[in-house]
Amino acid sequence: MAKVTIATDWLAACAGCHMSLLDIDERLFPLLEMVEFTSSPVTDLKHPPADGVTVGILTGAISNTHNIEVARRMRSHCQILVAVGDCATFGGIVATRNLVGTDAALKRAYLETESTVAGLIPDSPELGIPLPLVTGVGEVVTVDVFIPGCPPRADDLYFAIGELLAGRVPKVLPPEHLKYD
Amino acid sequence: MTSLNITINGQEIAAESGQTVLEAASVAGIEIPALCHHPALKPIGACRVCLVEIKGQRGLQPACTFPVTRGMAIQTESPKVVEARKFVLELIFSERNHFCMYCEMSGDCELQKLGYRYGLDHWMYPTYTQNFPVDASAKYFLLDHNRCVLCRRCVRACSELAANHTLDLRQRGAMTMLTADMNVDLAQSSCISCGVCLDVCPTGALVDKRSAFLGKDSDCERIASICSQCSIGCGIEIVTRANSVLRIRGLWDAPVNAGVLCKKGRFESLDDDRPRILSPLKRLNGKQLQTDWDDLLQLTAERLAAVAPQHLGLLTTTHATNEALNLLNELFCRHLKVQHVDLLNPVAPGPPSLPKGTLADLSHSDCILVTGTDPVNTHPVAAMLIKRAVDHGAQLIVIEDRESGLTSYADQVLKTSETDQALRLARQAQRSAVVYGNSVSETVFTSLKRLAKAVYVALQPGVNTYAALSLGLHQHIDFASLAVLYVLAGEQHAQLNEVAAKITPETFVVVQTSYASALTERADVVLPMAIWSERSGSLTNTDGIVQKVRAARAPQGQSKPDWEILKMLTEKLGGKPFVLPDDMAHYAGHESFGKENPSWQK
């Protein structure tokens, strides 16, 4: 039987959700008998393969135009899209930027901090343009499974992957796997 | 009240007329989730989380305010109800900052629990963008408007329970904000920092500064005990983690206070930075040196055994358990026949011939006369009971020559010379109560005794003053004639400098205490004593109710509970005391307390 393919990517994220995925620990080995991780931000292959994957995992919030591109690319390359972590589901820590507004946040971060000397707000054309409002992934693409948590526990992710492998798409995770912090 | 049958989720239930749907369900063990509802507060149906489906009613109804009627059929978790509840929760979550990951209340939050229960794993509505203020001006707690869900529990607790009316809402609709007085910082407001709002807040909007982020409820142990900051005897829950006291909460089912506490009991009792005495000390060649318990007790016992009764003195704080006071009585008064005994605090006169009232009487009094005491400052929970009665229409008459904390709540503020006028007003009432303290003038008290129908409620200064008076420990002391003085100073602040100044240089001074003071500097022997959170036993409140106190943590250093020290000392002197706290609590409730002899066996 062919392995189920999973691709992961991150948006405006701290990488904590990916760490949590690695925290599945030794259970990863039997899991890898059934699953192939095709690409991720921490592997050589960064982008989902052209012919797509079964499951796409996105962590992080939608904070700039680049995040939107990555989210759309993942959506168009996977059958089931899973939003992992508080940032991907709710906006999370990144969304606290909304309290002051993007311009003020950029100014404070790059020009006004006490340690800044001759600061400059990055404006390279290679970079995504910050959005006025940080949101969860669901604001940009259709999400099939939301797994909140900051980060979600390895057990929660392991449970969700197990459900998907069994052919079930959990509408909402059961209470023991649903955590906001 | 008549019984009537209803069905909830198809289950037949016997409800009582006058109950709300939520109450009837709760009695039957069916939990209807709610956010603004709190059993100690009047329901207002504000949050709509408790919506239920009632057959025959158009639309869903809030269970917390809807009264039951005969034959009513209720659905509490039908698809329609669940859909509406999720909708309500989504609206609440979308209004302000309800991100849990950096919230102090995460794990203990009622809103979070509801989010989990109804599977809210993403938001249907745009995320919040408005930054609300945080009011950290109050010394002991902070108000984070970003976490507030406007349930008004705190507002109702502030008015219905504390009767202080500081908190309220201002503005309307989406602009609605919790506010203190006319929109000032809490520190500038009329807030008395009783903290009852902290105990009812369902989210992280009101946070105890001292214990923030130190442990959620599931990480902590909780011990039910009695506050020992004054003579009211409020039920408290001591929350501890890793042998440290984190915070104190009110006990809702406590007989005296029914949940409310005051600033002294909730916050100041954990904010005592006086240096502790943690090891036994004795004076040798003019210097105080550390020694061990056995050596110290031996030295003390020898001195006590050798001194003549007319040269022996005993001074005690009332901040001590029934067990300790009883042992003092047995050892010093009965065995050593001490001639000089007194308390470290004044007492209110006892009216054995008058109808004795209790704090509970205040809630159904229609006229309350207060004199010789300033409960707002000395017995704040008693002040709340008085102010609550005033809110319910009772007349308050304050008889003081100086301004008291109750002055602004009083219908009449009279000078002591105008007591006759107070009597005239009180005689028109049906159920008047006289609340008095140690400063009551003899003439005023004599006049007030003439009120035929009144009950008399004494607010004793100190803590366990009622028990100390029953034991006859309030007498007189002549410092000049003392060769040995034993002072049970305990945790008392006041009077210690004055006492230290009166002691003659020749007197051998034994001090049993928790904290360093002018008295410990003068002492020849210092017996380190555990504080209130470290000792079990019982206390008698100003009404005469005996309640058990329980240790929430181990005594620090080498300190020991008040009664344990006296038990060891009694044994050194050849007595065989027994002081099982349970037995003593039972005994302390009897009229024979201190008159018979249960603890000294020779």
Side-chain angles (χ1 to χ4, degrees):
Chain A
M1 202 176 104
K3 288 184 179 181
V4 174
T5 49
I6 300 180
T8 78
D9 213 334
W10 61 35
L11 309 165
C14 71
C17 292
H18 273 81
M19 294 303 116
S20 208
L21 194 62
L22 291 174
D23 273 346
I24 291 176
D25 287 342
E26 74 278 9
R27 287 173 293 181
L28 273 172
F29 294 103
L31 189 63
L32 287 170
E33 304 278 319
M34 294 175 278
V35 164
E36 182 194 353
F37 284 94
T38 61
S39 57
S40 81
V42 290
T43 52
D44 288 345
L45 291 176
K46 307 291 184 201
H47 306 312
D51 51 350
V53 291
T54 311
V55 178
I57 292 176
L58 284 177
T59 74
I62 302 290
S63 152
N64 60 33
T65 51
H66 176 64
N67 300 147
I68 297 176
E69 263 177 51
V70 173
R72 286 190 177 143
R73 184 176 63 208
M74 185 61 88
R75 176 70 276 184
S76 61
H77 284 73
C78 71
Q79 293 167 36
I80 300 164
L81 181 63
V82 187
V84 168
D86 278 348
C87 296
T89 53
F90 302 120
I93 292 274
V94 191
T96 51
R97 187 178 94 194
N98 295 345
L99 292 178
V100 293
T102 301
D103 289 342
L106 285 171
K107 250 175 88 180
R108 172 72 187 146
Y110 290 101
L111 305 179
E112 294 171 355
T113 57
E114 287 66 13
S115 58
T116 302
V117 179
L120 190 71
I121 295 176
D123 61 349
S124 160
E126 287 181 0
L127 295 172
I129 299 161
L131 300 168
L133 208 61
V134 177
T135 65
V137 177
E139 291 289 312
V140 176
V141 293
T142 305
V143 174
D144 302 297
V145 184
F146 291 94
I147 307 179
C150 189
R153 279 65 168 167
D155 281 350
D156 308 337
L157 298 173
Y158 185 70
F159 170 84
I161 293 170
E163 287 293 288
L164 293 172
L165 282 173
R168 297 184 288 264
V169 180
K171 198 169 167 229
V172 176
L173 289 190
E176 66 271 26
H177 291 294
L178 184 63
K179 287 280 174 290
Y180 298 150
D181 60 356
Chain B
M1 231 182 259
T2 53
S3 181
L4 43 86
N5 290 326
I6 60 170
T7 64
I8 300 181
N9 304 338
Q11 185 187 335
E12 287 256 346
I13 282 163
E16 287 184 353
S17 66
Q19 273 181 328
T20 63
V21 170
L22 193 128
E23 284 166 348
S26 170
V27 170
I30 298 167
E31 194 228 338
I32 299 173
L35 207 51
C36 71
H37 179 75
H38 189 284
L41 304 170
K42 289 197 191 98
I44 53 168
C47 74
R48 317 312 274 184
V49 170
C50 70
L51 290 175
V52 291
E53 204 173 341
I54 299 173
K55 201 174 170 186
Q57 289 289 326
R58 216 174 47 151
L60 302 174
Q61 300 295 337
C64 72
T65 53
F66 209 85
V68 291
T69 53
R70 197 173 301 280
M72 187 179 261
I74 301 147
Q75 289 291 331
T76 69
E77 298 285 336
S78 66
K80 200 174 159 190
V81 166
V82 169
E83 190 195 357
R85 234 171 248 165
K86 283 181 83 161
F87 174 67
V88 166
L89 286 172
E90 277 165 6
L91 289 177
I92 295 173
F93 269 105
S94 72
E95 289 226 314
R96 297 190 184 188
N97 177 356
H98 297 300
F99 281 121
C100 302
M101 59 284 225
Y102 49 88
C103 179
E104 202 280 319
M105 281 297 273
S106 185
D108 299 331
C109 172
E110 294 181 39
L111 180 63
Q112 184 187 53
K113 283 194 186 84
L114 288 169
Y116 292 158
R117 178 165 169 174
Y118 290 98
L120 259 69
D121 63 359
H122 65 289
W123 282 331
M124 299 299 292
Y125 302 101
T127 50
Y128 72 101
T129 54
Q130 199 181 339
N131 200 2
F132 292 89
V134 175
D135 181 351
S137 64
K139 184 175 178 192
Y140 293 111
F141 61 96
L142 64 80
L143 165 59
D144 184 351
H145 289 281
N146 295 285
R147 305 285 184 190
C148 176
V149 293
L150 301 171
C151 69
R152 279 176 266 172
R153 277 191 194 176
C154 56
V155 174
R156 285 175 286 156
C158 191
S159 58
E160 291 172 25
L161 303 181
N164 209 55
H165 307 276
T166 300
L167 295 176
D168 210 332
L169 298 183
R170 64 185 168 85
Q171 299 280 21
R172 288 290 179 270
M175 305 289 284
T176 311
M177 290 282 282
L178 184 63
T179 188
D181 294 338
M182 300 304 278
N183 194 18
V184 295
D185 283 348
L186 280 165
Q188 273 84 55
S189 75
S190 58
C191 172
I192 52 171
S193 291
C194 69
V196 66
C197 51
L198 296 179
D199 278 352
V200 297
C201 181
T203 68
L206 285 157
V207 176
D208 176 40
K209 283 184 182 175
R210 182 179 190 278
S211 68
F213 297 101
L214 290 184
K216 50 181 94 167
D217 277 356
S218 54
D219 301 325
C220 298
E221 287 172 60
R222 288 173 290 281
I223 290 99
S225 190
I226 297 297
C227 179
S228 38
Q229 299 303 309
C230 80
S231 60
I232 300 291
C234 295
I236 56 172
E237 186 177 71
I238 309 173
V239 182
T240 66
R241 188 180 187 189
N243 204 30
S244 286
V245 178
L246 295 192
R247 55 184 165 264
I248 291 172
R249 312 190 62 159
L251 267 187
W252 294 107
D253 55 0
V256 181
N257 57 317
V260 297
L261 294 178
C262 70
K263 183 179 170 181
K264 294 199 301 180
R266 189 190 300 271
F267 299 118
E268 290 178 351
S269 55
L270 295 175
D271 190 24
D272 197 326
D273 53 5
R274 287 177 291 166
R276 280 283 295 270
I277 299 277
L278 294 173
S279 43
L281 302 172
K282 71 169 175 183
R283 189 175 297 280
L284 204 66
N285 302 327
K287 276 187 187 153
Q288 273 181 353
L289 302 172
Q290 285 190 20
T291 178
D292 57 52
W293 269 106
D294 195 62
D295 177 43
L296 205 61
L297 290 166
Q298 187 65 39
L299 173 63
T300 309
E302 280 165 15
R303 289 293 190 143
L304 289 176
V307 70
Q310 64 271 24
H311 299 304
L312 175 61
L314 170 67
L315 262 178
T316 181
T317 177
T318 55
H319 201 312
T321 58
N322 288 327
E323 289 73 13
L325 293 178
N326 184 62
L327 279 170
L328 278 182
N329 181 47
E330 295 298 333
L331 176 58
F332 285 88
C333 304
R334 287 173 168 270
H335 183 65
L336 298 171
K337 314 280 186 222
V338 63
Q339 296 295 300
H340 304 268
V341 188
D342 210 352
L343 301 180
L344 281 168
N345 59 256
V347 302
S353 59
L354 296 171
K356 190 171 119 29
T358 63
L359 294 161
D361 291 326
L362 299 178
S363 62
H364 35 84
S365 295
D366 58 355
C367 179
I368 300 175
L369 293 93
V370 182
T371 186
T373 180
D374 187 5
V376 167
N377 294 309
T378 56
H379 301 75
V381 169
M384 289 180 201
L385 298 177
I386 293 169
K387 283 152 67 180
R388 248 189 251 172
V390 171
D391 282 351
H392 293 143
Q395 191 179 18
L396 176 62
I397 302 164
V398 173
I399 310 167
E400 295 287 358
D401 291 330
R402 279 176 297 180
E403 193 170 327
S404 97
L406 281 176
T407 307
S408 57
Y409 298 89
D411 296 280
Q412 293 283 335
V413 182
L414 301 171
K415 297 257 181 276
T416 50
S417 56
E418 300 167 313
T419 306
D420 286 347
Q421 201 183 326
L423 288 177
R424 270 200 301 283
L425 291 165
R427 283 198 178 108
Q428 289 160 17
Q430 295 298 311
R431 295 172 307 277
S432 49
V434 176
V435 179
Y436 66 97
N438 56 297
S439 320
V440 63
S441 84
E442 215 174 307
T443 42
V444 170
F445 201 52
T446 311
S447 311
L448 289 178
K449 283 178 188 169
R450 300 205 302 265
L451 276 173
K453 278 185 290 184
V455 291
Y456 296 81
V457 182
L459 294 183
Q460 290 292 358
V463 182
N464 206 0
T465 308
Y466 189 101
L469 284 173
S470 311
L471 292 166
L473 299 175
H474 173 58
Q475 292 175 26
H476 175 72
I477 197 157
D478 174 19
F479 286 93
S481 58
L482 299 180
V484 177
L485 173 64
Y486 192 100
V487 188
L488 201 173
E491 298 170 56
Q492 183 151 344
H493 296 252
Q495 291 296 319
L496 304 187
N497 290 340
E498 290 82 343
V499 169
K502 283 183 200 161
I503 298 171
T504 63
E506 296 77 30
T507 313
F508 185 81
V509 181
V510 182
V511 179
Q512 176 180 340
T513 186
S514 308
Y515 294 106
S517 66
L519 206 53
T520 56
E521 277 171 37
R522 168 63 185 81
D524 297 284
V525 164
V526 184
L527 303 151
M529 198 180 111
I531 61 167
W532 61 272
S533 55
E534 303 165 353
R535 55 119 167 84
S536 294
S538 63
L539 291 172
T540 310
N541 86 341
T542 196
D543 283 347
I545 302 171
V546 179
Q547 303 182 99
K548 283 182 197 169
V549 292
R550 291 178 185 86
R553 47 159 302 169
Q556 277 194 49
Q558 295 186 62
S559 67
K560 290 180 187 295
D562 52 7
W563 57 267
E564 204 177 313
I565 295 170
L566 291 160
K567 176 172 171 280
M568 292 189 303
L569 187 59
T570 304
E571 284 163 350
K572 274 279 178 228
L573 280 154
K576 285 187 196 138
F578 70 87
V579 271
L580 292 172
D582 282 0
D583 294 347
M584 192 53 65
H586 179 73
Y587 170 61
H590 282 94
E591 294 217 333
S592 59
F593 187 38
K595 296 177 184 74
E596 286 169 10
N597 192 342
S599 70
W600 184 276
Q601 296 169 345
K602 197 82 190 192

